Amino acid sequence: MPVETDYLDITKQPRLKRVQVEDKYLDVLEHAKNVAQMNDVMVSQLGYREVAAHYGCTYKNDGYRVMEEMAERVPGVSYKESRTLSVDDALGVGGHHIEITFGHPDLAVCIRAHEASAELAHGGR
């Protein structure tokens, strides 16, 4: 079930903008948020294995598909080419990651809306 949030556009234009972040991405975003907090940074980088594990992919390589989808559909997420060579790169299955920018205003609104709806669902105040 998607989380929908209405808010005023950050450019202060009078129109409303609707942003959706599907529930299936929220576990990945939660993990990325924990990584960012642990490292005391506002940007988290996740490789395809982490994305696949937290998204619940059947096959590890599905993490690439999910990373591309998230970059297209979730504000504050970008799909980037990795600059370091890893074992996966040498095997021809690596070389990309996603960056999640938690300072992005649209992403922050989506995460707060999800946290508020989750708190209400669990009887929070």
Side-chain angles (χ1 to χ4, degrees):
M1 171 180 242
V3 175
E4 294 184 15
T5 305
D6 285 334
Y7 65 96
L8 289 176
D9 190 0
I10 59 172
T11 60
K12 306 237 188 265
Q13 295 178 6
R15 62 191 170 93
L16 290 176
K17 192 174 184 179
R18 184 167 292 257
V19 174
Q20 283 186 323
V21 173
E22 296 182 34
D23 285 339
K24 61 186 179 179
Y25 301 132
L26 292 173
D27 287 338
V28 176
L29 292 173
E30 184 66 30
H31 172 68
K33 182 179 173 185
N34 292 338
V35 170
Q37 287 175 343
M38 187 172 50
N39 294 319
D40 197 27
V41 294
M42 290 297 292
V43 177
S44 220
Q45 295 180 351
L46 301 179
Y48 80 97
R49 289 176 192 249
E50 280 179 294
V51 171
H54 291 279
Y55 182 86
C57 293
T58 304
Y59 303 103
K60 293 289 186 210
N61 284 343
D62 284 349
Y64 286 116
R65 176 187 52 79
V66 174
M67 289 191 308
E68 289 177 13
E69 283 179 10
M70 286 184 72
E72 291 172 4
R73 299 176 184 170
V74 180
V77 176
S78 53
Y79 185 63
K80 301 204 171 191
E81 188 171 335
S82 299
R83 299 192 189 282
T84 59
L85 184 64
S86 70
V87 173
D88 293 331
D89 297 335
L91 296 174
V93 295
H96 289 87
H97 66 273
I98 54 172
E99 284 186 2
I100 299 99
T101 305
F102 289 100
H104 192 284
D106 294 342
L107 180 59
V109 168
C110 293
I111 290 175
R112 278 195 308 269
H114 170 69
E115 289 171 348
S117 64
E119 187 175 310
L120 287 174
H122 296 310
R125 298 176 217 177

